[in-house]
Amino acid sequence: MDDTVYLNGSFMPSAQATIPVLDRGFIFGDGIYEVIPVYSSQPFRLQEHLSRLVHSLDAVRIRNPLDFSGWQAMITRLIQENRAWKDQSVYLQVTRGVAPRDQAFPVPDVEPTVFAMSMPLSTPSAELVASGVSAITALDIRWQRCNIKAISLLANVLLRQEAVDHGVAETLMLRDGWLTEGSSSNVFIVHEGTLLAPPKDQHMLPGITYDVILELAEYHAIPLRIGAVSEAQLRHADEIWLTSSTKEILAVVSLDGKAVHDGRPGPVFRRMYALYQDFKNQVMRPR
Ligand code: PDD
């Protein structure tokens, strides 16, 4: 069975969805995207994902092609069309549209290209959660607007491939000696029982999962400090975590070939993982 996608107002099999080669997304990577996890056919934190989408559109001055209820209706139908998968990962993309090749914005304005697809959501297995994963570090070679969820991801692609080449799960990035994030995840560390989170700024994507972790930490009185994390703090951390919509929370147990603490997911991770699953099941899974 072919999966159903959405393109510019219509639903169709993915094999039939085509865009003109002069689309600025194809030519310049001129567009933005979102990834929304869907559990038991319900999008998780839809409002927050759509707010971040609007923030990304505003930041690059692309007109929002749909209002909130328009996005919601489209996403609901897309999930329904792909209901063979109980848990899904919905991908939304908006580009500036199709125009003769010129870096400047098209004049007159053109219609943005709107594309959405869904994929099966495969969260990390119980074994991976229990064992943790390995990571490497690299210089953050990206631009200064990492808070925009832009489709121009060449630096992230190269950084993620470095992880694959080293046989590890993720590349953690350092900019001027400070931890920013992973190639496709946010990063937290734990030091003597306190959770440390890099602050939301132009050097990292404001993760929706990151916010859920902060909320859970506050609600359950887990000591928390939001502030810049140095390379030394990262290398001496008791625990390192990755968070994202598709990874949820994963412990990093080896960094650049060296064990993180005792090389096993730590107690604060195990507690937060359980809190996250409880929270998710409470809000997402029908009783
Ligand atoms: N990536 N930082 C980067 C660079 C990311 O690409 C992502 C997510 C995150 C975590 O954000 P969130 O918790 O909202 O998923 C942080 C998605 C999953 C992707 O590109 O596939």
Side-chain angles (χ1 to χ4, degrees):
M1 193 192 77
D2 202 358
D3 58 319
T4 298
V5 303
Y6 170 93
L7 181 63
N8 297 329
S10 308
F11 290 87
M12 61 192 79
S14 60
Q16 283 173 25
T18 58
I19 56 155
V21 289
L22 283 180
D23 192 284
R24 291 176 62 100
F26 181 59
I27 296 288
F28 295 126
D30 183 1
I32 60 91
Y33 76 108
E34 261 306 316
V35 176
I36 309 175
V38 174
Y39 299 103
S40 305
S41 298
Q42 293 185 69
F44 184 58
R45 297 244 150 166
L46 181 63
Q47 176 88 53
E48 289 82 354
H49 278 282
L50 291 179
S51 301
R52 186 171 66 184
L53 178 95
V54 170
H55 173 269
S56 296
L57 286 169
D58 288 349
V60 300
R61 296 160 62 191
I62 294 177
R63 180 162 42 82
N64 186 353
L66 294 169
D67 60 12
F68 181 85
S69 53
W71 282 110
Q72 191 175 30
M74 184 268 272
I75 291 165
T76 304
R77 163 108 187 254
L78 187 69
I79 294 169
Q80 187 59 19
E81 295 283 349
N82 293 289
R83 62 188 171 277
W85 308 317
K86 190 167 75 112
D87 292 349
Q88 305 177 23
S89 165
V90 165
Y91 176 91
L92 309 175
Q93 175 170 320
V94 184
T95 78
R96 202 177 303 280
V98 182
R101 186 181 180 280
D102 177 348
Q103 280 83 347
F105 297 172
V107 179
D109 209 10
V110 292
E111 283 298 313
T113 301
V114 187
F115 172 67
M117 64 179 169
S118 186
M119 291 166 283
L121 175 67
S122 52
T123 51
S125 64
E127 293 75 41
L128 207 58
V129 171
S131 67
V133 298
S134 300
I136 53 169
T137 56
L139 280 187
D140 194 338
I141 53 171
R142 302 172 303 159
W143 66 337
Q144 301 281 348
R145 306 291 301 278
C146 300
N147 51 335
I148 302 170
K149 208 161 167 60
I151 59 168
S152 27
L153 285 172
L154 189 52
N156 302 64
V157 166
L158 295 176
L159 289 158
R160 169 87 183 93
Q161 187 57 37
E162 248 180 83
V164 172
D165 292 344
H166 283 80
V168 300
E170 182 59 301
T171 301
L172 311 192
M173 293 179 276
L174 295 160
R175 193 189 281 259
D176 302 327
W178 301 99
L179 171 67
T180 55
E181 59 181 339
S183 70
S184 60
S185 54
N186 290 118
V187 182
F188 290 80
I189 70 164
V190 175
H191 179 67
E192 291 176 352
T194 298
L195 184 57
L196 304 182
K200 286 185 192 171
D201 62 15
Q202 73 278 21
H203 298 314
M204 68 168 237
L205 186 79
I208 305 300
T209 322
Y210 170 101
D211 279 343
V212 175
I213 302 291
L214 293 190
E215 284 171 38
L216 289 172
E218 274 164 21
Y219 187 79
H220 295 279
I222 294 171
L224 166 70
R225 193 170 64 73
I226 297 172
V229 173
S230 69
E231 177 169 356
Q233 283 175 305
L234 175 69
R235 296 204 183 277
H236 295 108
D238 297 326
E239 302 185 18
I240 302 175
W241 310 348
L242 307 176
T243 69
S244 85
S245 294
T246 47
K247 292 187 186 72
E248 298 187 335
I249 323 175
L250 266 182
V252 173
V253 293
S254 156
L255 187 65
D256 291 332
K258 195 169 159 285
V260 176
H261 194 58
D262 64 359
R264 287 181 308 184
V268 188
F269 167 79
R270 291 199 305 273
R271 175 149 187 236
M272 182 57 83
Y273 182 81
L275 292 173
Y276 190 89
Q277 296 305 322
D278 282 353
F279 174 74
K280 187 182 91 184
N281 291 335
Q282 245 173 46
V283 294
M284 306 304 295
R285 302 289 188 196
R287 299 249 145 203

